Amino acid sequence: MAKSKKRSDCPVSCSLDIWGDKWSLLIIRDLMTAKQCTYGDFLKSPEGIATNILASRLQTLEENKIIEKLDHPDSKAKVLYKLTRKGIDLLPIMVEINLWAEKYFSIPDDRKQQLKEVKKDKAGFIKAFTKNLVS
Amino acid sequence: MAKSKKRSDCPVSCSLDIWGDKWSLLIIRDLMTAKQCTYGDFLKSPEGIATNILASRLQTLEENKIIEKLDHPDSKAKVLYKLTRKGIDLLPIMVEINLWAEKYFSIPDDRKQQLKEVKKDKAGFIKAFTKNLVS
DNA sequence: TAAAATAACTTGCATTACGAAAGTGATTTT
DNA sequence: AAAATCACTTTCGTAATGCAAGTTATTTTA
């Protein structure tokens, strides 16, 4: 896979160069909800990512230090993926995406419930959630 | 262009179905900084979007009510694009992207200056900036 | 302990999207 | 009246996507 050079110095452009596609943020979403995922876990998500696309995105995200690979404690056949601090710091973006989507789409009830908490104290939620992911 | 059906009920997935690509958020960025843009204005941005891609993205964003077309007051040959309220409400996401990028990339000095203000009072900044865009 | 299953990918191939360049038609300027 | 501008559209080569099947290493089952 060719390394795409950055299109400009704009922070938005630089960010999109890494995770600006239809799949990367879903991988990151999975890692925020589950903390650690195997390759197979990602495949179970409802959007149904193809195996080759998943492998390609995991590689790009790893190259950009958004995620990292770990040995699975129980089995040499499995691999664990988790967010780095850089990846965890995407949480505020993820939260705002959820809030925007809640305003303009109909979203699942369990998500709505969680967002109720978020709106009560956004900074507090981010801090607590981040702390949980970091540990 | 085929209308892509949504991949799941996840708010993140639904959002990415609309603007999850390398260009859409750059168009939105341009509209946030300039308030109104012509087709030619978008082409002037440093990332260098191709004309056919621009036309395609503008159409998708318009279909999804993120932007709208206006008649140009000075000329029948020109078209003005601006954000709808739904598009303006992407501002918090845009702000968080900028903050994340500032932390992990080196970004232009003028952007850094603006982000200093943001960090002083995020909610206040969003409110004021939104008000400016809405008017 | 040999065979089947699981896990994490990789490969092949058809379809779709992207990107660069040139072209079109409606205005607008010279 | 001719040239330029504006907002696209078209063409076409290349790259990315998506589906299915295949591969290799490791585990589990019979």
Side-chain angles (χ1 to χ4, degrees), chain A residues 26 50 53 64 73 80-81 109 112 115-116:
Chain A
L26 296 182
I53 308 293
N64 286 284
L80 277 180
Y81 291 94
D109 284 341
K112 272 189 193 165
L115 289 175
K116 216 173 255 179

Side-chain angles (χ1 to χ4, degrees), chain A residues 23 51-53 57 75-77:
Chain A
W23 294 109
T51 57
N52 56 341
I53 308 293
R57 289 305 174 283
S75 160
K76 252 191 278 188

Side-chain angles (χ1 to χ4, degrees), chain B residues 27 30-31 36-45 49-59 67 69-70 72 77-82:
Chain B
I27 291 172
D30 287 350
L31 286 172
Q36 293 185 325
C37 295
T38 65
Y39 190 89
D41 289 336
F42 293 118
L43 293 177
K44 282 176 206 135
S45 286
I49 190 171
T51 56
N52 54 343
I53 308 294
L54 176 57
S56 147
R57 289 306 175 282
L58 288 172
Q59 193 189 325
I67 64 174
K69 272 175 155 178
L70 299 175
H72 196 289
K78 292 185 185 176
V79 180
L80 277 180
Y81 291 93
K82 63 173 291 198

Side-chain angles (χ1 to χ4, degrees), chain A residues 1 17-18 55-65:
Chain A
M1 175 155 308
D17 284 342
I18 298 179
S56 148
R57 289 305 174 283
L58 288 172
Q59 193 188 325
T60 302
L61 290 173
E62 196 190 0
E63 281 168 4
N64 286 284
K65 305 280 165 60

Side-chain angles (χ1 to χ4, degrees), chain B residues 26-108:
Chain B
L26 297 181
I27 291 172
I28 291 159
R29 169 205 65 185
D30 287 350
L31 286 172
M32 283 177 175
T33 45
K35 245 179 129 166
Q36 293 185 325
C37 295
T38 65
Y39 190 89
D41 289 336
F42 293 118
L43 293 177
K44 282 176 206 135
S45 286
E47 293 83 11
I49 190 171
T51 56
N52 54 343
I53 308 294
L54 176 57
S56 147
R57 289 306 175 282
L58 288 172
Q59 193 189 325
T60 302
L61 290 173
E62 196 191 0
E63 283 169 2
N64 286 284
K65 306 279 166 59
I66 307 286
I67 64 174
E68 61 186 336
K69 272 175 155 178
L70 299 175
D71 291 338
H72 196 289
D74 302 345
S75 160
K76 251 191 279 189
K78 292 185 185 176
V79 180
L80 277 180
Y81 291 93
K82 63 173 291 198
L83 292 167
T84 61
R85 179 64 205 225
K86 188 177 177 183
I88 293 169
D89 282 338
L90 290 168
L91 179 62
I93 298 172
M94 197 66 74
V95 166
E96 293 300 343
I97 292 173
N98 274 276
L99 289 170
W100 181 79
E102 188 201 23
K103 183 164 179 182
Y104 292 104
F105 304 128
S106 57
I107 69 165

